[in-house]
């Protein structure tokens, strides 16, 4: 069998096969584990089968499923411990192997330990995590033996279900990692105390699992190579654990860089690409089994560079495979400019996983995890479609409709595509938005959308009969609050502030603390190069010491944030905590960054008036004057429907999408999802 093609020479490392024991993985790209929520659903195994099969067809070498518990205590709704559950998993493995027999699929065994959302949760000691709901129950000898046996049984069940291997997660604050770290393992018996004792539980799980599945089955162990905890694992302990894991029978070591409770962002868009792979590189030198690295590796050239400099043997990309199922195929065919790049926003994936009951998907690819439901079938009745507005909604609609075979004219009065994304890309830490714009620009070419930029169209033109369907993605207009003195020269709209069209003074009040208020605060308090583009600067800002690797990588290291050139007040009328509505998994990073830069976040504000003295307001009912030079309006948006209104309800073939449909809490996730669903049906 041949795994390389002539077109893959651009990424020779990424496309070289790797032997793992008796198994060959056809390239170095892993679709990393990510819980999708499908695991717990009645028909989830059928949807997961298609979700993974599509990625197998897309060229990835090895897939690792979302976490599955070995038992009830493990805390996930989905477990694998009996024949009935084996049969459900068989549907998934059969689909993947049928899609491509050379693609390997491993199942992740995840025991949440103290993070399990029920009062029967277990741990080495009754130490509650700051992000957990319950104090865990301390395991006794019998309980420990049961957990170990359940892991081995789960690994055997995975083998019976047709998986090529399992990944045992020993990081992130889940059960195994809490045995390893002193602050969560207070035991004085043979499972606690010395590091030899603290390692005993994970090592015993690996040994017993290996005994259950035989030599040829892949066992990956996910280790917290830098857990980002004050008092976390030392580098010597990480290395010692890796050595012992090898002896215990792991086939591959996968490096992870956080516990969920740590106060360092490791996957958000503000994290530089491949920021942590040097740590994997150091571990790789210590072991003989292959090593996997991960985190913010989202394009083939990034993966290739990591492999080329010898930081890892395999590269794990979880969210990038959500964003584009054909990632590796496109890389192989020299079509990397067609890759729909993961922008690390977390808005439709991890925010949904950790935020409750919403199904996981992807902001830039609403088909993710909905492969059986949202299908872009070629049309057999091509229509002439006019799309007005080349923001996220208009771009998604036109490219999907054109891909299906419709003839699409896309109009925008601006000479460039992107709408509000052109603002987002200018915010330090949001540079990935350039990739989405590059993707859509290329999709316009590939799908044959006729883009007519710099052209304003009106209802009369659209009514001329040239079009079967008219889609209005005309977007939004910033809201101007009715505050006395709002026309004062010190008042600047957020678009002008972000584009740098108006000078911004030294003392600034921002009216409105939604996503854009935070973005503007970040922009105007920022100095120098974006830390998302500079690993050293990022490490300093978040107190990570890559060189000396103190415990957890962070113990005793003070974050160093460059002083803001401005004094800033970020204001809102609500009396809830400022920034509460930001993304579940990333909001805290924005709040913390601005706090460290001295931005004053003030809720409960009533705006009274603006004049030469500044902004007069009431804060919690008390009068206050903020003596500021500039007031930036970030007070949300109103839909822009002038073209739609001109139809006066007369046209049945006119649709509104994106911000023009609903501007309240307008976001790109909703706009793209809505547009994609409409375009799939037209
Ligand atoms: P937004 O989230 O709706 O926030 C608008 C802000 O303006 C709120 O703080 C609101 O708070 C205030 N406001 C509303 N009406 C006002 C009025 N009449 N007078 C004074 N203040 C008023 O809108 P946005 O910040 O413009 O962001 C738009 C959307 O873009 C976001 O919802 C988000 O989905 C997306 N976005 C997301 C991110 C992110 O980090 N994920 C970043 C940028 C943008 P009060 O009513 O309490 O004053
Ligand atoms: Fe990446 Fe955002 Fe999509 Fe998640 S929602 S996969 S972070 S682009």
């Amino acid at each position: 069998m041949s795994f390389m093609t002539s077109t893959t020479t651009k990424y020779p490392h990424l496309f070289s096969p790797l032997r793992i024991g008796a198994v060959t993985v056809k390239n170095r790209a892993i679709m990393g584990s990510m819980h999708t929520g499908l695991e717990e659903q009645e028909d989830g195994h059928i949807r997961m089968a298609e979700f993974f099969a599509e990625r197998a067809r897309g060229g990835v070498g090895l897939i690792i499923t979302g976490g599955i518990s070995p038992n009830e205590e493990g805390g996930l709704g989905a477990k694998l411990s009996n024949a009935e559950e084996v049969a459900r998993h068989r549907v998934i493995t059969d689909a993947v192997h049928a899609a491509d027999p050379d693609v390997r699929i491993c199942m992740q065994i995840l025991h949440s330990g103290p993070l399990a959302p029920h009062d029967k949760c277990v741990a080495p000691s009754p130490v509650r995590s700051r992000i957990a709901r319950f104090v865990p129950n301390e395991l006794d000898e019998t309980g420990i033996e049961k957990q170990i046996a359940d892991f081995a049984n789960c690994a055997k069940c995975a083998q019976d279900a047709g998986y090529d291997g399992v990944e045992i997660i020993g990081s992130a604050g889940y059960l195994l990692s809490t045995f390893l770290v002193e602050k969560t393992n207070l035991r004085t018996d043979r499972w606690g105390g010395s590091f030899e004792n603290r390692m005993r539980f994970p090592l015993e799980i690996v040994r017993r699992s290996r005994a259950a599945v035989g030599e040829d089955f892949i066992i990956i162990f996910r280790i917290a190579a830098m857990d980002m905890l004050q008092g976390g694992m030392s580098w010597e302990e990480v290395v010692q654990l890796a050595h012992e894991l090898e002896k215990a029978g792991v086939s591959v070591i996968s490096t992870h860089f956080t516990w969920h409770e740590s106060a360092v962002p490791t996957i958000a868009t503000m994290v530089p690409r491949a920021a942590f792979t040097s740590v994997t590189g150091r571990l790789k030198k210590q072991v003989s089994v292959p090593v996997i690295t991960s985190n913010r590796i989202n394009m083939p050239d990034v993966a290739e560079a990591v492999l080329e400099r010898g930081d890892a043997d395999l590269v794990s990309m979880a969210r990038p495979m959500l964003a584009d199922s054909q990632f590796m195929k496109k890389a192989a065919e020299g079509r990397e400019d067609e890759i729909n790049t993961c922008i690390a926003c977390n808005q439709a994936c991890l925010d949904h996983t950790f935020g409750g009951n919403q199904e996981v998907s992807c902001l830039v690819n609403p088909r993710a995890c909905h492969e059986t439901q949202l299908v872009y079938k070629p049309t057999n009745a091509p229509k002439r479609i006019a799309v007005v507005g080349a923001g996220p909604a208009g771009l998604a609609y036109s490219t999907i409709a054109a891909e299906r075979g419709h003839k699409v004219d896309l109009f925008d009065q601006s000479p460039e595509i992107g709408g509000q994304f052109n603002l987002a890309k200018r915010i330090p830490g949001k540079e990935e938005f350039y990739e989405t714009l590059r993707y859509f620009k290329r999709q316009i070419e590939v799908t044959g959308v006729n883009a007519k930029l710099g052209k304003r169209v009106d209802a009369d033109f659209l009514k001329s009969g040239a079009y079967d369907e008219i889609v209005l993605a005309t977007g939004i207009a910033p809201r101007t609050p009715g505050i006395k003195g709002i026309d004062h020269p010190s008042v600047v709209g957020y678009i002008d502030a972000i584009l740098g069209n108006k000078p911004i003074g030294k003392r600034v009040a921002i009216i409105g603390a939604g996503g854009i208020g935070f973005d503007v605060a970040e922009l105007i308090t920022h100095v120098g190069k974006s830390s998302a583009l500079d690993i050293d600067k990022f490490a300093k800002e978040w107190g990570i010491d890559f060189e000396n690797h103190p415990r957890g990588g962070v113990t005793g290291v003070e974050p160093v944030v460059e002083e803001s050139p401005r004094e800033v007040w970020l204001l809102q009328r609500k009396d809830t905590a400022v920034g509460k509505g930001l993304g579940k998994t990333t909001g805290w990073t924005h709040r913390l960054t601005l706090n460290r830069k001295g931005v004053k976040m003030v809720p409960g504000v009533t705006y009274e008036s603006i004049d030469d003295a500044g902004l007069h307001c009431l804060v919690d009912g008390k009068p206050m004057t903020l003596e500021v030079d500039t007031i930036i309006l970030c007070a949300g948006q109103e839909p822009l429907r002038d073209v739609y209104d001109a139809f006066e309800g007369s046209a049945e073939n006119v649709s509104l999408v994106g911000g023009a449909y609903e501007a309240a809490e307008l976001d790109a996730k909703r706009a793209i999802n809505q547009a994609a669903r409409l375009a799939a049906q037209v």
Side-chain angles (χ1 to χ4, degrees), residues 347 430 479 481 511-517 519 572-574 607 634-637 665-667:
Q347 279 178 250
K430 291 200 163 180
R479 178 183 291 129
I511 292 184
I516 290 178
D519 276 358
Q572 71 177 26
R573 298 172 303 178
K574 287 186 285 289
Y607 308 108
C634 303
Q637 295 86 14
E665 303 240 318
L666 152 81
D667 70 63

PDB file of all heavy atoms in Angstrom, residues 347 430 479 481 511-517 519 572-574 607 634-637 665-667, ligand 1:
ATOM      1  N   GLN A 347     -16.544  29.187  20.223  1.00  0.00           N
ATOM      2  CA  GLN A 347     -17.920  29.646  20.385  1.00  0.00           C
ATOM      3  C   GLN A 347     -18.982  28.580  20.116  1.00  0.00           C
ATOM      4  O   GLN A 347     -20.018  28.591  20.766  1.00  0.00           O
ATOM      5  CB  GLN A 347     -18.166  30.868  19.492  1.00  0.00           C
ATOM      6  CG  GLN A 347     -17.652  32.145  20.125  1.00  0.00           C
ATOM      7  CD  GLN A 347     -17.859  33.345  19.227  1.00  0.00           C
ATOM      8  OE1 GLN A 347     -16.908  33.887  18.697  1.00  0.00           O
ATOM      9  NE2 GLN A 347     -19.083  33.758  19.045  1.00  0.00           N
ATOM     10  N   LYS A 430      -6.876  38.271  17.749  1.00  0.00           N
ATOM     11  CA  LYS A 430      -7.931  37.735  16.887  1.00  0.00           C
ATOM     12  C   LYS A 430      -7.463  37.666  15.436  1.00  0.00           C
ATOM     13  O   LYS A 430      -8.269  37.739  14.508  1.00  0.00           O
ATOM     14  CB  LYS A 430      -9.191  38.592  16.993  1.00  0.00           C
ATOM     15  CG  LYS A 430      -9.871  38.477  18.344  1.00  0.00           C
ATOM     16  CD  LYS A 430     -11.297  38.918  18.275  1.00  0.00           C
ATOM     17  CE  LYS A 430     -12.058  38.405  19.487  1.00  0.00           C
ATOM     18  NZ  LYS A 430     -13.452  38.800  19.468  1.00  0.00           N
ATOM     19  N   ARG A 479     -25.555  50.859  17.227  1.00  0.00           N
ATOM     20  CA  ARG A 479     -26.616  51.603  17.931  1.00  0.00           C
ATOM     21  C   ARG A 479     -26.032  52.882  18.543  1.00  0.00           C
ATOM     22  O   ARG A 479     -24.952  52.856  19.130  1.00  0.00           O
ATOM     23  CB  ARG A 479     -27.194  50.722  19.037  1.00  0.00           C
ATOM     24  CG  ARG A 479     -28.269  51.406  19.865  1.00  0.00           C
ATOM     25  CD  ARG A 479     -28.767  50.511  20.990  1.00  0.00           C
ATOM     26  NE  ARG A 479     -29.517  49.377  20.477  1.00  0.00           N
ATOM     27  CZ  ARG A 479     -29.280  48.117  20.817  1.00  0.00           C
ATOM     28  NH1 ARG A 479     -28.307  47.815  21.650  1.00  0.00           N
ATOM     29  NH2 ARG A 479     -30.005  47.147  20.317  1.00  0.00           N
ATOM     30  N   PRO A 481     -26.830  55.359  21.413  1.00  0.00           N
ATOM     31  CA  PRO A 481     -27.744  55.535  22.547  1.00  0.00           C
ATOM     32  C   PRO A 481     -28.226  56.983  22.660  1.00  0.00           C
ATOM     33  O   PRO A 481     -27.492  57.910  22.296  1.00  0.00           O
ATOM     34  CB  PRO A 481     -26.900  55.157  23.762  1.00  0.00           C
ATOM     35  CG  PRO A 481     -25.550  54.798  23.282  1.00  0.00           C
ATOM     36  CD  PRO A 481     -25.453  55.095  21.822  1.00  0.00           C
ATOM     37  N   ILE A 511     -18.727  52.843  26.410  1.00  0.00           N
ATOM     38  CA  ILE A 511     -20.137  52.614  26.747  1.00  0.00           C
ATOM     39  C   ILE A 511     -20.565  51.297  26.108  1.00  0.00           C
ATOM     40  O   ILE A 511     -20.628  51.183  24.880  1.00  0.00           O
ATOM     41  CB  ILE A 511     -21.015  53.787  26.250  1.00  0.00           C
ATOM     42  CG1 ILE A 511     -20.687  55.042  27.070  1.00  0.00           C
ATOM     43  CG2 ILE A 511     -22.497  53.433  26.322  1.00  0.00           C
ATOM     44  CD1 ILE A 511     -21.557  56.245  26.749  1.00  0.00           C
ATOM     45  N   GLY A 512     -20.805  50.297  26.945  1.00  0.00           N
ATOM     46  CA  GLY A 512     -21.205  48.977  26.446  1.00  0.00           C
ATOM     47  C   GLY A 512     -20.074  47.979  26.626  1.00  0.00           C
ATOM     48  O   GLY A 512     -18.969  48.200  26.121  1.00  0.00           O
ATOM     49  N   ALA A 513     -20.355  46.904  27.351  1.00  0.00           N
ATOM     50  CA  ALA A 513     -19.306  45.934  27.689  1.00  0.00           C
ATOM     51  C   ALA A 513     -19.658  44.549  27.152  1.00  0.00           C
ATOM     52  O   ALA A 513     -19.469  43.537  27.820  1.00  0.00           O
ATOM     53  CB  ALA A 513     -19.109  45.894  29.199  1.00  0.00           C
ATOM     54  N   GLY A 514     -20.155  44.516  25.911  1.00  0.00           N
ATOM     55  CA  GLY A 514     -20.367  43.219  25.243  1.00  0.00           C
ATOM     56  C   GLY A 514     -19.062  42.787  24.586  1.00  0.00           C
ATOM     57  O   GLY A 514     -17.971  43.319  24.891  1.00  0.00           O
ATOM     58  N   GLY A 515     -19.159  41.855  23.643  1.00  0.00           N
ATOM     59  CA  GLY A 515     -17.957  41.356  22.968  1.00  0.00           C
ATOM     60  C   GLY A 515     -17.154  42.484  22.348  1.00  0.00           C
ATOM     61  O   GLY A 515     -15.919  42.511  22.433  1.00  0.00           O
ATOM     62  N   ILE A 516     -17.840  43.462  21.776  1.00  0.00           N
ATOM     63  CA  ILE A 516     -17.113  44.531  21.079  1.00  0.00           C
ATOM     64  C   ILE A 516     -16.517  45.527  22.067  1.00  0.00           C
ATOM     65  O   ILE A 516     -15.396  46.001  21.874  1.00  0.00           O
ATOM     66  CB  ILE A 516     -18.015  45.175  20.009  1.00  0.00           C
ATOM     67  CG1 ILE A 516     -18.203  44.128  18.900  1.00  0.00           C
ATOM     68  CG2 ILE A 516     -17.423  46.477  19.471  1.00  0.00           C
ATOM     69  CD1 ILE A 516     -19.086  44.500  17.769  1.00  0.00           C
ATOM     70  N   GLY A 517     -17.221  45.813  23.160  1.00  0.00           N
ATOM     71  CA  GLY A 517     -16.644  46.668  24.199  1.00  0.00           C
ATOM     72  C   GLY A 517     -15.335  46.071  24.710  1.00  0.00           C
ATOM     73  O   GLY A 517     -14.333  46.778  24.885  1.00  0.00           O
ATOM     74  N   ASP A 519     -13.426  43.919  23.066  1.00  0.00           N
ATOM     75  CA  ASP A 519     -12.439  43.981  21.977  1.00  0.00           C
ATOM     76  C   ASP A 519     -11.794  45.360  21.889  1.00  0.00           C
ATOM     77  O   ASP A 519     -10.579  45.488  21.758  1.00  0.00           O
ATOM     78  CB  ASP A 519     -13.132  43.693  20.624  1.00  0.00           C
ATOM     79  CG  ASP A 519     -13.247  42.207  20.348  1.00  0.00           C
ATOM     80  OD1 ASP A 519     -12.769  41.402  21.178  1.00  0.00           O
ATOM     81  OD2 ASP A 519     -13.825  41.842  19.302  1.00  0.00           O
ATOM     82  N   GLN A 572     -21.312  49.361  31.790  1.00  0.00           N
ATOM     83  CA  GLN A 572     -22.586  48.791  31.328  1.00  0.00           C
ATOM     84  C   GLN A 572     -23.704  49.201  32.284  1.00  0.00           C
ATOM     85  O   GLN A 572     -23.449  49.543  33.438  1.00  0.00           O
ATOM     86  CB  GLN A 572     -22.503  47.274  31.218  1.00  0.00           C
ATOM     87  CG  GLN A 572     -22.433  46.561  32.551  1.00  0.00           C
ATOM     88  CD  GLN A 572     -22.422  45.046  32.434  1.00  0.00           C
ATOM     89  OE1 GLN A 572     -22.004  44.489  31.428  1.00  0.00           O
ATOM     90  NE2 GLN A 572     -22.900  44.369  33.475  1.00  0.00           N
ATOM     91  N   ARG A 573     -24.934  49.140  31.788  1.00  0.00           N
ATOM     92  CA  ARG A 573     -26.075  49.515  32.616  1.00  0.00           C
ATOM     93  C   ARG A 573     -26.480  48.383  33.560  1.00  0.00           C
ATOM     94  O   ARG A 573     -26.883  48.621  34.682  1.00  0.00           O
ATOM     95  CB  ARG A 573     -27.261  49.907  31.730  1.00  0.00           C
ATOM     96  CG  ARG A 573     -26.949  51.120  30.849  1.00  0.00           C
ATOM     97  CD  ARG A 573     -28.039  51.394  29.853  1.00  0.00           C
ATOM     98  NE  ARG A 573     -28.283  50.223  29.010  1.00  0.00           N
ATOM     99  CZ  ARG A 573     -29.202  50.159  28.073  1.00  0.00           C
ATOM    100  NH1 ARG A 573     -29.993  51.190  27.848  1.00  0.00           N
ATOM    101  NH2 ARG A 573     -29.350  49.077  27.340  1.00  0.00           N
ATOM    102  N   LYS A 574     -26.383  47.165  33.092  1.00  0.00           N
ATOM    103  CA  LYS A 574     -26.769  46.011  33.919  1.00  0.00           C
ATOM    104  C   LYS A 574     -25.960  46.008  35.214  1.00  0.00           C
ATOM    105  O   LYS A 574     -24.810  46.456  35.227  1.00  0.00           O
ATOM    106  CB  LYS A 574     -26.463  44.697  33.183  1.00  0.00           C
ATOM    107  CG  LYS A 574     -27.396  44.394  32.036  1.00  0.00           C
ATOM    108  CD  LYS A 574     -27.131  43.030  31.449  1.00  0.00           C
ATOM    109  CE  LYS A 574     -25.891  42.997  30.595  1.00  0.00           C
ATOM    110  NZ  LYS A 574     -25.980  43.702  29.326  1.00  0.00           N
ATOM    111  N   TYR A 607     -26.383  56.453  32.193  1.00  0.00           N
ATOM    112  CA  TYR A 607     -25.711  57.543  31.486  1.00  0.00           C
ATOM    113  C   TYR A 607     -26.610  58.782  31.512  1.00  0.00           C
ATOM    114  O   TYR A 607     -27.782  58.697  31.138  1.00  0.00           O
ATOM    115  CB  TYR A 607     -25.414  57.142  30.036  1.00  0.00           C
ATOM    116  CG  TYR A 607     -24.690  55.810  29.943  1.00  0.00           C
ATOM    117  CD1 TYR A 607     -25.347  54.657  29.476  1.00  0.00           C
ATOM    118  CD2 TYR A 607     -23.366  55.689  30.335  1.00  0.00           C
ATOM    119  CE1 TYR A 607     -24.702  53.437  29.415  1.00  0.00           C
ATOM    120  CE2 TYR A 607     -22.709  54.463  30.279  1.00  0.00           C
ATOM    121  CZ  TYR A 607     -23.375  53.339  29.821  1.00  0.00           C
ATOM    122  OH  TYR A 607     -22.738  52.134  29.763  1.00  0.00           O
ATOM    123  N   CYS A 634     -19.973  51.366  22.203  1.00  0.00           N
ATOM    124  CA  CYS A 634     -20.017  49.926  21.872  1.00  0.00           C
ATOM    125  C   CYS A 634     -21.336  49.384  22.393  1.00  0.00           C
ATOM    126  O   CYS A 634     -21.371  48.413  23.148  1.00  0.00           O
ATOM    127  CB  CYS A 634     -18.850  49.191  22.512  1.00  0.00           C
ATOM    128  SG  CYS A 634     -17.234  49.828  22.063  1.00  0.00           S
ATOM    129  N   ALA A 635     -22.409  50.050  22.025  1.00  0.00           N
ATOM    130  CA  ALA A 635     -23.715  49.798  22.631  1.00  0.00           C
ATOM    131  C   ALA A 635     -24.581  48.858  21.793  1.00  0.00           C
ATOM    132  O   ALA A 635     -25.803  48.992  21.746  1.00  0.00           O
ATOM    133  CB  ALA A 635     -24.428  51.130  22.868  1.00  0.00           C
ATOM    134  N   GLY A 636     -23.967  47.919  21.103  1.00  0.00           N
ATOM    135  CA  GLY A 636     -24.738  46.947  20.328  1.00  0.00           C
ATOM    136  C   GLY A 636     -25.122  47.479  18.961  1.00  0.00           C
ATOM    137  O   GLY A 636     -24.603  48.507  18.510  1.00  0.00           O
ATOM    138  N   GLN A 637     -26.030  46.787  18.322  1.00  0.00           N
ATOM    139  CA  GLN A 637     -26.377  47.115  16.934  1.00  0.00           C
ATOM    140  C   GLN A 637     -27.882  47.068  16.678  1.00  0.00           C
ATOM    141  O   GLN A 637     -28.629  46.478  17.444  1.00  0.00           O
ATOM    142  CB  GLN A 637     -25.726  46.099  15.973  1.00  0.00           C
ATOM    143  CG  GLN A 637     -24.232  46.102  15.923  1.00  0.00           C
ATOM    144  CD  GLN A 637     -23.608  45.228  16.991  1.00  0.00           C
ATOM    145  OE1 GLN A 637     -24.289  44.423  17.614  1.00  0.00           O
ATOM    146  NE2 GLN A 637     -22.328  45.394  17.207  1.00  0.00           N
ATOM    147  N   GLU A 665     -27.510  40.799  20.127  1.00  0.00           N
ATOM    148  CA  GLU A 665     -26.415  39.878  20.390  1.00  0.00           C
ATOM    149  C   GLU A 665     -25.954  39.201  19.110  1.00  0.00           C
ATOM    150  O   GLU A 665     -25.624  38.017  19.091  1.00  0.00           O
ATOM    151  CB  GLU A 665     -26.831  38.831  21.429  1.00  0.00           C
ATOM    152  CG  GLU A 665     -27.278  39.479  22.702  1.00  0.00           C
ATOM    153  CD  GLU A 665     -26.452  39.091  23.901  1.00  0.00           C
ATOM    154  OE1 GLU A 665     -26.135  37.911  24.022  1.00  0.00           O
ATOM    155  OE2 GLU A 665     -26.125  39.981  24.692  1.00  0.00           O
ATOM    156  N   LEU A 666     -25.988  39.991  18.040  1.00  0.00           N
ATOM    157  CA  LEU A 666     -25.545  39.497  16.735  1.00  0.00           C
ATOM    158  C   LEU A 666     -24.244  38.739  16.887  1.00  0.00           C
ATOM    159  O   LEU A 666     -23.303  39.196  17.506  1.00  0.00           O
ATOM    160  CB  LEU A 666     -25.296  40.703  15.824  1.00  0.00           C
ATOM    161  CG  LEU A 666     -24.244  40.495  14.728  1.00  0.00           C
ATOM    162  CD1 LEU A 666     -24.855  39.759  13.571  1.00  0.00           C
ATOM    163  CD2 LEU A 666     -23.657  41.804  14.312  1.00  0.00           C
ATOM    164  N   ASP A 667     -24.167  37.567  16.365  1.00  0.00           N
ATOM    165  CA  ASP A 667     -22.861  36.937  16.325  1.00  0.00           C
ATOM    166  C   ASP A 667     -22.700  36.094  15.076  1.00  0.00           C
ATOM    167  O   ASP A 667     -23.661  35.639  14.474  1.00  0.00           O
ATOM    168  CB  ASP A 667     -22.538  36.178  17.609  1.00  0.00           C
ATOM    169  CG  ASP A 667     -23.354  34.938  17.789  1.00  0.00           C
ATOM    170  OD1 ASP A 667     -23.233  34.036  16.954  1.00  0.00           O
ATOM    171  OD2 ASP A 667     -24.108  34.866  18.774  1.00  0.00           O
TER     172      ASP A 667
HETATM  173  P1  LIG B   1     -23.649  43.130  22.695  1.00  0.00           P
HETATM  174  O1  LIG B   1     -22.919  41.940  23.125  1.00  0.00           O
HETATM  175  O2  LIG B   1     -25.101  43.047  22.496  1.00  0.00           O
HETATM  176  O3  LIG B   1     -23.322  44.251  23.792  1.00  0.00           O
HETATM  177  C1  LIG B   1     -23.841  45.516  23.703  1.00  0.00           C
HETATM  178  C2  LIG B   1     -23.476  46.299  24.971  1.00  0.00           C
HETATM  179  O4  LIG B   1     -24.067  47.559  24.887  1.00  0.00           O
HETATM  180  C3  LIG B   1     -23.957  45.663  26.240  1.00  0.00           C
HETATM  181  O5  LIG B   1     -22.920  45.763  27.185  1.00  0.00           O
HETATM  182  C4  LIG B   1     -25.167  46.494  26.638  1.00  0.00           C
HETATM  183  O6  LIG B   1     -25.129  46.475  28.030  1.00  0.00           O
HETATM  184  C5  LIG B   1     -24.879  47.836  26.013  1.00  0.00           C
HETATM  185  N1  LIG B   1     -26.063  48.527  25.507  1.00  0.00           N
HETATM  186  C6  LIG B   1     -27.085  48.011  24.777  1.00  0.00           C
HETATM  187  N2  LIG B   1     -27.976  48.971  24.457  1.00  0.00           N
HETATM  188  C7  LIG B   1     -27.496  50.116  24.988  1.00  0.00           C
HETATM  189  C8  LIG B   1     -27.977  51.458  25.019  1.00  0.00           C
HETATM  190  N3  LIG B   1     -29.109  51.790  24.426  1.00  0.00           N
HETATM  191  N4  LIG B   1     -27.248  52.368  25.666  1.00  0.00           N
HETATM  192  C9  LIG B   1     -26.099  52.033  26.283  1.00  0.00           C
HETATM  193  N5  LIG B   1     -25.593  50.779  26.292  1.00  0.00           N
HETATM  194  C10 LIG B   1     -26.300  49.839  25.668  1.00  0.00           C
HETATM  195  O7  LIG B   1     -23.067  43.718  21.376  1.00  0.00           O
HETATM  196  P2  LIG B   1     -21.565  43.927  20.884  1.00  0.00           P
HETATM  197  O8  LIG B   1     -20.636  44.143  22.008  1.00  0.00           O
HETATM  198  O9  LIG B   1     -21.678  44.992  19.874  1.00  0.00           O
HETATM  199  O10 LIG B   1     -21.196  42.589  20.224  1.00  0.00           O
HETATM  200  C11 LIG B   1     -21.981  42.049  19.198  1.00  0.00           C
HETATM  201  C12 LIG B   1     -21.783  40.593  19.161  1.00  0.00           C
HETATM  202  O11 LIG B   1     -20.566  40.315  18.497  1.00  0.00           O
HETATM  203  C13 LIG B   1     -21.640  39.927  20.510  1.00  0.00           C
HETATM  204  O12 LIG B   1     -22.863  39.617  21.089  1.00  0.00           O
HETATM  205  C14 LIG B   1     -20.888  38.730  20.169  1.00  0.00           C
HETATM  206  O13 LIG B   1     -21.730  37.696  19.813  1.00  0.00           O
HETATM  207  C15 LIG B   1     -20.043  39.153  18.989  1.00  0.00           C
HETATM  208  N6  LIG B   1     -18.703  39.329  19.502  1.00  0.00           N
HETATM  209  C16 LIG B   1     -18.187  38.377  20.274  1.00  0.00           C
HETATM  210  C17 LIG B   1     -16.950  38.513  20.778  1.00  0.00           C
HETATM  211  C18 LIG B   1     -16.348  37.456  21.653  1.00  0.00           C
HETATM  212  O14 LIG B   1     -15.424  37.698  22.358  1.00  0.00           O
HETATM  213  N7  LIG B   1     -16.830  36.239  21.615  1.00  0.00           N
HETATM  214  C19 LIG B   1     -16.229  39.642  20.520  1.00  0.00           C
HETATM  215  C20 LIG B   1     -16.789  40.625  19.717  1.00  0.00           C
HETATM  216  C21 LIG B   1     -18.042  40.455  19.228  1.00  0.00           C
HETATM  217  P3  LIG B   1     -26.160  47.240  28.971  1.00  0.00           P
HETATM  218  O15 LIG B   1     -27.491  47.109  28.283  1.00  0.00           O
HETATM  219  O16 LIG B   1     -26.076  46.541  30.290  1.00  0.00           O
HETATM  220  O17 LIG B   1     -25.646  48.614  29.051  1.00  0.00           O
END
